[in-house]
Structure formats: C-alpha cells, structure tokens
mmCIF file of all heavy atoms in Angstrom:
data_model
loop_
_atom_site.group_PDB
_atom_site.id
_atom_site.type_symbol
_atom_site.label_atom_id
_atom_site.label_comp_id
_atom_site.label_asym_id
_atom_site.label_seq_id
_atom_site.Cartn_x
_atom_site.Cartn_y
_atom_site.Cartn_z
ATOM 1 N N VAL A 1 20.534 -5.337 -24.557
ATOM 2 C CA VAL A 1 20.130 -5.434 -23.149
ATOM 3 C C VAL A 1 19.683 -4.036 -22.725
ATOM 4 O O VAL A 1 20.494 -3.116 -22.638
ATOM 5 C CB VAL A 1 21.286 -5.946 -22.282
ATOM 6 C CG1 VAL A 1 20.835 -6.053 -20.826
ATOM 7 C CG2 VAL A 1 21.780 -7.294 -22.794
ATOM 8 N N VAL A 2 18.387 -3.891 -22.501
ATOM 9 C CA VAL A 2 17.780 -2.596 -22.205
ATOM 10 C C VAL A 2 17.537 -2.493 -20.698
ATOM 11 O O VAL A 2 16.886 -3.363 -20.112
ATOM 12 C CB VAL A 2 16.456 -2.424 -22.970
ATOM 13 C CG1 VAL A 2 15.855 -1.045 -22.709
ATOM 14 C CG2 VAL A 2 16.672 -2.642 -24.468
ATOM 15 N N PHE A 3 18.051 -1.439 -20.083
ATOM 16 C CA PHE A 3 17.943 -1.243 -18.640
ATOM 17 C C PHE A 3 16.870 -0.195 -18.345
ATOM 18 O O PHE A 3 17.031 0.978 -18.698
ATOM 19 C CB PHE A 3 19.287 -0.782 -18.054
ATOM 20 C CG PHE A 3 20.367 -1.811 -18.143
ATOM 21 C CD1 PHE A 3 21.050 -2.020 -19.332
ATOM 22 C CD2 PHE A 3 20.710 -2.576 -17.033
ATOM 23 C CE1 PHE A 3 22.054 -2.977 -19.417
ATOM 24 C CE2 PHE A 3 21.719 -3.527 -17.109
ATOM 25 C CZ PHE A 3 22.388 -3.732 -18.300
ATOM 26 N N LEU A 4 15.790 -0.607 -17.685
ATOM 27 C CA LEU A 4 14.713 0.303 -17.322
ATOM 28 C C LEU A 4 14.820 0.606 -15.829
ATOM 29 O O LEU A 4 14.662 -0.285 -14.987
ATOM 30 C CB LEU A 4 13.357 -0.328 -17.648
ATOM 31 C CG LEU A 4 13.184 -0.779 -19.115
ATOM 32 C CD1 LEU A 4 11.863 -1.500 -19.282
ATOM 33 C CD2 LEU A 4 13.275 0.413 -20.048
ATOM 34 N N ASP A 5 15.107 1.852 -15.502
ATOM 35 C CA ASP A 5 15.319 2.256 -14.109
ATOM 36 C C ASP A 5 13.982 2.344 -13.379
ATOM 37 O O ASP A 5 13.133 3.176 -13.715
ATOM 38 C CB ASP A 5 16.037 3.606 -14.075
ATOM 39 C CG ASP A 5 16.541 3.966 -12.679
ATOM 40 O OD1 ASP A 5 16.043 3.383 -11.696
ATOM 41 O OD2 ASP A 5 17.426 4.828 -12.583
ATOM 42 N N VAL A 6 13.787 1.487 -12.380
ATOM 43 C CA VAL A 6 12.548 1.492 -11.593
ATOM 44 C C VAL A 6 12.846 1.824 -10.128
ATOM 45 O O VAL A 6 12.083 1.475 -9.245
ATOM 46 C CB VAL A 6 11.820 0.133 -11.697
ATOM 47 C CG1 VAL A 6 11.350 -0.121 -13.121
ATOM 48 C CG2 VAL A 6 12.709 -1.023 -11.226
ATOM 49 N N THR A 7 13.963 2.515 -9.885
ATOM 50 C CA THR A 7 14.366 2.838 -8.517
ATOM 51 C C THR A 7 13.298 3.638 -7.791
ATOM 52 O O THR A 7 12.902 3.305 -6.671
ATOM 53 C CB THR A 7 15.687 3.625 -8.525
ATOM 54 O OG1 THR A 7 16.678 2.892 -9.273
ATOM 55 C CG2 THR A 7 16.189 3.855 -7.115
ATOM 56 N N VAL A 8 12.798 4.712 -8.415
ATOM 57 C CA VAL A 8 11.792 5.568 -7.777
ATOM 58 C C VAL A 8 10.506 4.782 -7.538
ATOM 59 O O VAL A 8 9.888 4.872 -6.479
ATOM 60 C CB VAL A 8 11.523 6.814 -8.645
ATOM 61 C CG1 VAL A 8 10.367 7.626 -8.072
ATOM 62 C CG2 VAL A 8 12.770 7.674 -8.745
ATOM 63 N N GLN A 9 10.106 3.990 -8.538
ATOM 64 C CA GLN A 9 8.899 3.188 -8.392
ATOM 65 C C GLN A 9 9.007 2.240 -7.204
ATOM 66 O O GLN A 9 8.069 2.082 -6.425
ATOM 67 C CB GLN A 9 8.665 2.388 -9.678
ATOM 68 C CG GLN A 9 7.468 1.461 -9.623
ATOM 69 C CD GLN A 9 7.357 0.621 -10.879
ATOM 70 O OE1 GLN A 9 7.805 1.013 -11.948
ATOM 71 N NE2 GLN A 9 6.760 -0.547 -10.744
ATOM 72 N N ARG A 10 10.160 1.601 -7.044
ATOM 73 C CA ARG A 10 10.353 0.678 -5.925
ATOM 74 C C ARG A 10 10.315 1.409 -4.585
ATOM 75 O O ARG A 10 9.780 0.900 -3.602
ATOM 76 C CB ARG A 10 11.687 -0.052 -6.087
ATOM 77 C CG ARG A 10 11.659 -1.097 -7.177
ATOM 78 C CD ARG A 10 10.914 -2.316 -6.711
ATOM 79 N NE ARG A 10 10.312 -3.015 -7.835
ATOM 80 C CZ ARG A 10 9.720 -4.192 -7.757
ATOM 81 N NH1 ARG A 10 9.630 -4.789 -6.585
ATOM 82 N NH2 ARG A 10 9.176 -4.753 -8.805
ATOM 83 N N ARG A 11 10.878 2.603 -4.534
ATOM 84 C CA ARG A 11 10.848 3.377 -3.293
ATOM 85 C C ARG A 11 9.419 3.747 -2.926
ATOM 86 O O ARG A 11 9.029 3.696 -1.753
ATOM 87 C CB ARG A 11 11.698 4.633 -3.439
ATOM 88 C CG ARG A 11 13.206 4.363 -3.426
ATOM 89 C CD ARG A 11 13.982 5.622 -3.700
ATOM 90 N NE ARG A 11 15.419 5.356 -3.713
ATOM 91 C CZ ARG A 11 16.322 6.207 -4.197
ATOM 92 N NH1 ARG A 11 15.935 7.375 -4.691
ATOM 93 N NH2 ARG A 11 17.608 5.899 -4.172
ATOM 94 N N LEU A 12 8.625 4.132 -3.931
ATOM 95 C CA LEU A 12 7.227 4.472 -3.672
ATOM 96 C C LEU A 12 6.453 3.256 -3.174
ATOM 97 O O LEU A 12 5.624 3.361 -2.265
ATOM 98 C CB LEU A 12 6.586 5.037 -4.940
ATOM 99 C CG LEU A 12 7.065 6.419 -5.387
ATOM 100 C CD1 LEU A 12 6.448 6.789 -6.726
ATOM 101 C CD2 LEU A 12 6.718 7.471 -4.338
ATOM 102 N N GLU A 13 6.715 2.095 -3.787
ATOM 103 C CA GLU A 13 6.036 0.879 -3.357
ATOM 104 C C GLU A 13 6.406 0.526 -1.915
ATOM 105 O O GLU A 13 5.553 0.121 -1.127
ATOM 106 C CB GLU A 13 6.395 -0.277 -4.293
ATOM 107 C CG GLU A 13 5.783 -0.142 -5.683
ATOM 108 C CD GLU A 13 6.284 -1.208 -6.633
ATOM 109 O OE1 GLU A 13 7.202 -1.975 -6.249
ATOM 110 O OE2 GLU A 13 5.774 -1.280 -7.773
ATOM 111 N N ALA A 14 7.700 0.697 -1.583
ATOM 112 C CA ALA A 14 8.132 0.404 -0.215
ATOM 113 C C ALA A 14 7.492 1.370 0.774
ATOM 114 O O ALA A 14 7.075 0.985 1.865
ATOM 115 C CB ALA A 14 9.656 0.489 -0.123
ATOM 116 N N SER A 15 7.383 2.647 0.378
ATOM 117 C CA SER A 15 6.754 3.641 1.247
ATOM 118 C C SER A 15 5.278 3.334 1.443
ATOM 119 O O SER A 15 4.737 3.451 2.545
ATOM 120 C CB SER A 15 6.921 5.039 0.638
ATOM 121 O OG SER A 15 6.255 6.006 1.403
ATOM 122 N N GLU A 16 4.618 2.911 0.358
ATOM 123 C CA GLU A 16 3.196 2.562 0.444
ATOM 124 C C GLU A 16 2.993 1.359 1.361
ATOM 125 O O GLU A 16 2.056 1.322 2.159
ATOM 126 C CB GLU A 16 2.658 2.260 -0.949
ATOM 127 C CG GLU A 16 1.178 1.911 -0.974
ATOM 128 C CD GLU A 16 0.693 1.592 -2.374
ATOM 129 O OE1 GLU A 16 1.409 1.908 -3.345
ATOM 130 O OE2 GLU A 16 -0.395 1.018 -2.497
ATOM 131 N N GLN A 17 3.903 0.384 1.248
ATOM 132 C CA GLN A 17 3.806 -0.797 2.097
ATOM 133 C C GLN A 17 3.998 -0.420 3.569
ATOM 134 O O GLN A 17 3.299 -0.925 4.451
ATOM 135 C CB GLN A 17 4.845 -1.833 1.677
ATOM 136 C CG GLN A 17 4.819 -3.119 2.484
ATOM 137 C CD GLN A 17 3.505 -3.861 2.353
ATOM 138 O OE1 GLN A 17 2.938 -3.938 1.266
ATOM 139 N NE2 GLN A 17 3.005 -4.423 3.441
ATOM 140 N N LEU A 18 4.941 0.489 3.839
ATOM 141 C CA LEU A 18 5.172 0.943 5.206
ATOM 142 C C LEU A 18 3.945 1.662 5.741
ATOM 143 O O LEU A 18 3.521 1.441 6.877
ATOM 144 C CB LEU A 18 6.390 1.866 5.249
ATOM 145 C CG LEU A 18 6.730 2.482 6.621
ATOM 146 C CD1 LEU A 18 7.018 1.389 7.640
ATOM 147 C CD2 LEU A 18 7.916 3.428 6.495
ATOM 148 N N SER A 19 3.348 2.529 4.906
ATOM 149 C CA SER A 19 2.154 3.258 5.336
ATOM 150 C C SER A 19 1.017 2.288 5.635
ATOM 151 O O SER A 19 0.265 2.468 6.597
ATOM 152 C CB SER A 19 1.722 4.245 4.241
ATOM 153 O OG SER A 19 2.721 5.213 4.024
ATOM 154 N N ARG A 20 0.877 1.256 4.818
ATOM 155 C CA ARG A 20 -0.178 0.261 5.040
ATOM 156 C C ARG A 20 0.052 -0.475 6.360
ATOM 157 O O ARG A 20 -0.887 -0.705 7.130
ATOM 158 C CB ARG A 20 -0.208 -0.723 3.869
ATOM 159 C CG ARG A 20 -1.422 -1.646 3.888
ATOM 160 C CD ARG A 20 -1.414 -2.604 2.708
ATOM 161 N NE ARG A 20 -1.454 -1.877 1.450
ATOM 162 C CZ ARG A 20 -0.484 -1.879 0.549
ATOM 163 N NH1 ARG A 20 0.631 -2.562 0.772
ATOM 164 N NH2 ARG A 20 -0.612 -1.209 -0.569
ATOM 165 N N SER A 21 1.306 -0.809 6.641
ATOM 166 C CA SER A 21 1.627 -1.501 7.894
ATOM 167 C C SER A 21 1.337 -0.614 9.096
ATOM 168 O O SER A 21 0.820 -1.074 10.116
ATOM 169 C CB SER A 21 3.098 -1.929 7.897
ATOM 170 O OG SER A 21 3.368 -2.821 6.840
ATOM 171 N N GLN A 22 1.684 0.677 8.977
ATOM 172 C CA GLN A 22 1.417 1.613 10.068
ATOM 173 C C GLN A 22 -0.080 1.772 10.301
ATOM 174 O O GLN A 22 -0.541 1.821 11.445
ATOM 175 C CB GLN A 22 2.056 2.966 9.751
ATOM 176 C CG GLN A 22 3.583 2.946 9.802
ATOM 177 C CD GLN A 22 4.196 4.226 9.298
ATOM 178 O OE1 GLN A 22 3.598 4.942 8.495
ATOM 179 N NE2 GLN A 22 5.408 4.512 9.751
ATOM 180 N N LEU A 23 -0.867 1.848 9.210
ATOM 181 C CA LEU A 23 -2.312 1.965 9.339
ATOM 182 C C LEU A 23 -2.895 0.750 10.046
ATOM 183 O O LEU A 23 -3.758 0.873 10.928
ATOM 184 C CB LEU A 23 -2.951 2.140 7.963
ATOM 185 C CG LEU A 23 -4.490 2.142 7.921
ATOM 186 C CD1 LEU A 23 -5.040 3.294 8.750
ATOM 187 C CD2 LEU A 23 -4.993 2.204 6.485
ATOM 188 N N MET A 24 -2.425 -0.441 9.691
ATOM 189 C CA MET A 24 -2.923 -1.666 10.322
ATOM 190 C C MET A 24 -2.626 -1.662 11.820
ATOM 191 O O MET A 24 -3.454 -2.078 12.630
ATOM 192 C CB MET A 24 -2.298 -2.883 9.640
ATOM 193 C CG MET A 24 -2.793 -3.130 8.221
ATOM 194 S SD MET A 24 -1.874 -4.437 7.367
ATOM 195 C CE MET A 24 -2.199 -5.837 8.422
ATOM 196 N N ARG A 25 -1.437 -1.164 12.180
ATOM 197 C CA ARG A 25 -1.074 -1.114 13.596
ATOM 198 C C ARG A 25 -1.962 -0.132 14.357
ATOM 199 O O ARG A 25 -2.431 -0.422 15.461
ATOM 200 C CB ARG A 25 0.406 -0.709 13.723
ATOM 201 C CG ARG A 25 0.882 -0.574 15.157
ATOM 202 C CD ARG A 25 0.705 -1.845 15.943
ATOM 203 N NE ARG A 25 1.145 -1.701 17.318
ATOM 204 C CZ ARG A 25 0.769 -2.481 18.315
ATOM 205 N NH1 ARG A 25 -0.081 -3.477 18.090
ATOM 206 N NH2 ARG A 25 1.239 -2.290 19.518
ATOM 207 N N VAL A 26 -2.214 1.045 13.749
ATOM 208 C CA VAL A 26 -3.074 2.036 14.395
ATOM 209 C C VAL A 26 -4.486 1.485 14.582
ATOM 210 O O VAL A 26 -5.111 1.650 15.635
ATOM 211 C CB VAL A 26 -3.105 3.339 13.560
ATOM 212 C CG1 VAL A 26 -4.200 4.274 14.051
ATOM 213 C CG2 VAL A 26 -1.755 4.036 13.610
ATOM 214 N N GLN A 27 -5.008 0.800 13.560
ATOM 215 C CA GLN A 27 -6.343 0.226 13.659
ATOM 216 C C GLN A 27 -6.405 -0.827 14.760
ATOM 217 O O GLN A 27 -7.397 -0.923 15.488
ATOM 218 C CB GLN A 27 -6.763 -0.379 12.320
ATOM 219 C CG GLN A 27 -7.050 0.653 11.247
ATOM 220 C CD GLN A 27 -7.610 0.019 9.985
ATOM 221 O OE1 GLN A 27 -7.616 -1.196 9.832
ATOM 222 N NE2 GLN A 27 -8.082 0.851 9.073
ATOM 223 N N GLU A 28 -5.338 -1.607 14.863
ATOM 224 C CA GLU A 28 -5.310 -2.640 15.895
ATOM 225 C C GLU A 28 -5.357 -2.028 17.293
ATOM 226 O O GLU A 28 -6.098 -2.479 18.171
ATOM 227 C CB GLU A 28 -4.052 -3.491 15.725
ATOM 228 C CG GLU A 28 -3.917 -4.605 16.751
ATOM 229 C CD GLU A 28 -2.631 -5.377 16.594
ATOM 230 O OE1 GLU A 28 -1.866 -5.104 15.651
ATOM 231 O OE2 GLU A 28 -2.370 -6.258 17.439
ATOM 232 N N VAL A 29 -4.572 -0.966 17.509
ATOM 233 C CA VAL A 29 -4.530 -0.316 18.819
ATOM 234 C C VAL A 29 -5.861 0.358 19.135
ATOM 235 O O VAL A 29 -6.384 0.266 20.254
ATOM 236 C CB VAL A 29 -3.376 0.714 18.871
ATOM 237 C CG1 VAL A 29 -3.442 1.533 20.141
ATOM 238 C CG2 VAL A 29 -2.036 -0.009 18.773
ATOM 239 N N ALA A 30 -6.446 1.035 18.130
ATOM 240 C CA ALA A 30 -7.688 1.777 18.348
ATOM 241 C C ALA A 30 -8.921 0.902 18.220
ATOM 242 O O ALA A 30 -10.029 1.357 18.505
ATOM 243 C CB ALA A 30 -7.778 2.925 17.350
ATOM 244 N N GLN A 31 -8.738 -0.348 17.792
ATOM 245 C CA GLN A 31 -9.857 -1.260 17.555
ATOM 246 C C GLN A 31 -10.870 -0.641 16.584
ATOM 247 O O GLN A 31 -12.072 -0.575 16.825
ATOM 248 C CB GLN A 31 -10.535 -1.646 18.865
ATOM 249 C CG GLN A 31 -9.640 -2.470 19.786
ATOM 250 C CD GLN A 31 -10.364 -3.005 21.002
ATOM 251 O OE1 GLN A 31 -11.253 -2.358 21.550
ATOM 252 N NE2 GLN A 31 -9.978 -4.202 21.423
ATOM 253 N N VAL A 32 -10.325 -0.174 15.458
ATOM 254 C CA VAL A 32 -11.135 0.401 14.384
ATOM 255 C C VAL A 32 -10.792 -0.352 13.107
ATOM 256 O O VAL A 32 -9.618 -0.525 12.771
ATOM 257 C CB VAL A 32 -10.835 1.910 14.200
ATOM 258 C CG1 VAL A 32 -11.578 2.454 12.982
ATOM 259 C CG2 VAL A 32 -11.214 2.672 15.450
ATOM 260 N N GLY A 33 -11.807 -0.805 12.402
ATOM 261 C CA GLY A 33 -11.584 -1.520 11.149
ATOM 262 C C GLY A 33 -11.888 -0.645 9.947
ATOM 263 O O GLY A 33 -12.444 0.448 10.062
ATOM 264 N N SER A 34 -11.492 -1.107 8.757
ATOM 265 C CA SER A 34 -11.786 -0.384 7.522
ATOM 266 C C SER A 34 -11.996 -1.384 6.393
ATOM 267 O O SER A 34 -11.540 -2.529 6.468
ATOM 268 C CB SER A 34 -10.649 0.579 7.167
ATOM 269 O OG SER A 34 -9.458 -0.145 6.899
ATOM 270 N N TRP A 35 -12.710 -0.938 5.366
ATOM 271 C CA TRP A 35 -12.896 -1.787 4.195
ATOM 272 C C TRP A 35 -12.878 -0.918 2.943
ATOM 273 O O TRP A 35 -13.126 0.281 2.992
ATOM 274 C CB TRP A 35 -14.190 -2.593 4.280
ATOM 275 C CG TRP A 35 -15.458 -1.789 4.467
ATOM 276 C CD1 TRP A 35 -15.992 -1.371 5.646
ATOM 277 C CD2 TRP A 35 -16.328 -1.307 3.445
ATOM 278 N NE1 TRP A 35 -17.150 -0.657 5.429
ATOM 279 C CE2 TRP A 35 -17.386 -0.601 4.087
ATOM 280 C CE3 TRP A 35 -16.321 -1.399 2.061
ATOM 281 C CZ2 TRP A 35 -18.421 0.002 3.372
ATOM 282 C CZ3 TRP A 35 -17.351 -0.798 1.344
ATOM 283 C CH2 TRP A 35 -18.385 -0.111 2.007
ATOM 284 N N VAL A 36 -12.534 -1.527 1.823
ATOM 285 C CA VAL A 36 -12.429 -0.823 0.541
ATOM 286 C C VAL A 36 -13.213 -1.609 -0.491
ATOM 287 O O VAL A 36 -13.055 -2.831 -0.624
ATOM 288 C CB VAL A 36 -10.952 -0.697 0.090
ATOM 289 C CG1 VAL A 36 -10.869 -0.039 -1.283
ATOM 290 C CG2 VAL A 36 -10.153 0.095 1.112
ATOM 291 N N TRP A 37 -14.047 -0.899 -1.241
ATOM 292 C CA TRP A 37 -14.790 -1.512 -2.350
ATOM 293 C C TRP A 37 -14.245 -0.920 -3.636
ATOM 294 O O TRP A 37 -14.349 0.282 -3.868
ATOM 295 C CB TRP A 37 -16.266 -1.220 -2.192
ATOM 296 C CG TRP A 37 -17.141 -1.816 -3.276
ATOM 297 C CD1 TRP A 37 -16.740 -2.600 -4.322
ATOM 298 C CD2 TRP A 37 -18.554 -1.650 -3.413
ATOM 299 N NE1 TRP A 37 -17.816 -2.942 -5.098
ATOM 300 C CE2 TRP A 37 -18.940 -2.379 -4.570
ATOM 301 C CE3 TRP A 37 -19.504 -0.963 -2.677
ATOM 302 C CZ2 TRP A 37 -20.267 -2.419 -4.999
ATOM 303 C CZ3 TRP A 37 -20.822 -1.013 -3.113
ATOM 304 C CH2 TRP A 37 -21.200 -1.736 -4.253
ATOM 305 N N ARG A 38 -13.655 -1.750 -4.468
ATOM 306 C CA ARG A 38 -13.091 -1.296 -5.738
ATOM 307 C C ARG A 38 -14.202 -1.232 -6.777
ATOM 308 O O ARG A 38 -14.569 -2.235 -7.387
ATOM 309 C CB ARG A 38 -11.962 -2.235 -6.187
ATOM 310 C CG ARG A 38 -10.756 -2.144 -5.270
ATOM 311 C CD ARG A 38 -9.638 -3.052 -5.713
ATOM 312 N NE ARG A 38 -8.473 -2.900 -4.865
ATOM 313 C CZ ARG A 38 -7.409 -3.694 -4.919
ATOM 314 N NH1 ARG A 38 -7.382 -4.710 -5.766
ATOM 315 N NH2 ARG A 38 -6.381 -3.489 -4.121
ATOM 316 N N LEU A 39 -14.715 -0.029 -6.971
ATOM 317 C CA LEU A 39 -15.834 0.181 -7.888
ATOM 318 C C LEU A 39 -15.402 0.015 -9.337
ATOM 319 O O LEU A 39 -14.221 0.174 -9.657
ATOM 320 C CB LEU A 39 -16.403 1.585 -7.669
ATOM 321 C CG LEU A 39 -16.995 1.835 -6.276
ATOM 322 C CD1 LEU A 39 -17.342 3.309 -6.126
ATOM 323 C CD2 LEU A 39 -18.213 0.966 -6.029
ATOM 324 N N PRO A 40 -16.324 -0.311 -10.261
ATOM 325 C CA PRO A 40 -17.754 -0.454 -9.998
ATOM 326 C C PRO A 40 -18.191 -1.850 -9.537
ATOM 327 O O PRO A 40 -19.192 -2.004 -8.881
ATOM 328 C CB PRO A 40 -18.368 -0.149 -11.370
ATOM 329 C CG PRO A 40 -17.333 -0.648 -12.331
ATOM 330 C CD PRO A 40 -16.004 -0.363 -11.691
ATOM 331 N N ASP A 41 -17.448 -2.855 -9.914
ATOM 332 C CA ASP A 41 -17.898 -4.213 -9.572
ATOM 333 C C ASP A 41 -16.768 -5.076 -9.027
ATOM 334 O O ASP A 41 -16.800 -6.295 -9.107
ATOM 335 C CB ASP A 41 -18.530 -4.897 -10.790
ATOM 336 C CG ASP A 41 -17.609 -4.886 -12.003
ATOM 337 O OD1 ASP A 41 -16.464 -4.418 -11.862
ATOM 338 O OD2 ASP A 41 -18.035 -5.326 -13.078
ATOM 339 N N GLY A 42 -15.740 -4.416 -8.503
ATOM 340 C CA GLY A 42 -14.609 -5.156 -7.956
ATOM 341 C C GLY A 42 -14.922 -5.724 -6.585
ATOM 342 O O GLY A 42 -16.008 -5.528 -6.037
#
C-alpha cells in the first residue's frame, strides 16, 4: 500500500479555485468579461 502525499497539491488547487471565484465576482461587479483560448487549437 503506497501512500502518495498530495497535501500541497490539494492546497494549491483550493487556492486556485478561490482565486477563480474571486475573479468571477470582481468581473460581475465591474461588468467586465474575459475569455481564454487554449492554443494552438484548443
């Protein structure tokens, strides 16, 4: 039974999710939208 510690990875993912939520809230208040194109053909 091999234990792979992903504690730091999970914290980073949670922080990224929080930042994304905060950005969405700021855009909603400021009425500014954004878009992302995942290059080259995404």
Side-chain angles (χ1 to χ4, degrees):
V1 181
V2 183
F3 294 79
L4 304 175
D5 191 341
V6 295
T7 306
V8 174
Q9 177 185 333
R10 287 284 152 172
R11 287 175 181 166
L12 290 174
E13 290 173 353
S15 176
E16 181 181 345
Q17 181 62 41
L18 177 60
S19 297
R20 190 180 299 115
S21 299
Q22 290 172 334
L23 174 61
M24 290 172 61
R25 178 58 181 159
V26 169
Q27 289 186 350
E28 180 183 356
V29 172
Q31 294 187 325
V32 174
S34 64
W35 56 273
V36 177
W37 181 2
R38 292 181 177 171
L39 297 172
D41 54 4

